[in-house]
Amino acid sequence: MKETVTPPPAPAFDRRMLEALICPASQSTLEYDAERQELVSRAAELAYPIRDGIPVMLVDEARRLDD
């Protein structure tokens, strides 16, 4: 009988990191959206994904807020 292996949960985003990060497009502050696991720049209208607890701060990887 095979045993089912459950992968460990993704590491949580450290909110203290938010204070050190700014939007690369607008140089503005970011808001943390816990439900979508994104960092949101209202000024640039972009949302940067957080993957495995690591913010992906690349404009090319960001989602437009109007999507």
Side-chain angles (χ1 to χ4, degrees):
M1 181 191 230
K2 278 191 163 184
E3 187 176 322
T4 304
V5 177
T6 304
F13 175 67
D14 184 352
R15 289 181 181 221
R16 293 174 295 177
M17 188 185 304
L18 182 59
E19 296 172 9
L21 295 175
I22 60 169
C23 173
S26 67
Q27 307 301 304
S28 64
T29 58
L30 299 163
E31 298 172 24
Y32 176 51
D33 182 338
E35 185 176 314
R36 289 185 155 211
Q37 285 297 292
E38 295 178 327
L39 294 177
V40 177
S41 170
R42 300 275 176 218
E45 298 184 350
L46 295 172
Y48 298 94
I50 299 172
R51 296 186 186 128
D52 297 323
I54 301 169
V56 180
M57 303 301 297
L58 301 171
V59 174
D60 292 344
E61 295 286 323
R63 176 181 66 80
R64 301 264 337 140
L65 290 183
D66 57 1
D67 290 347

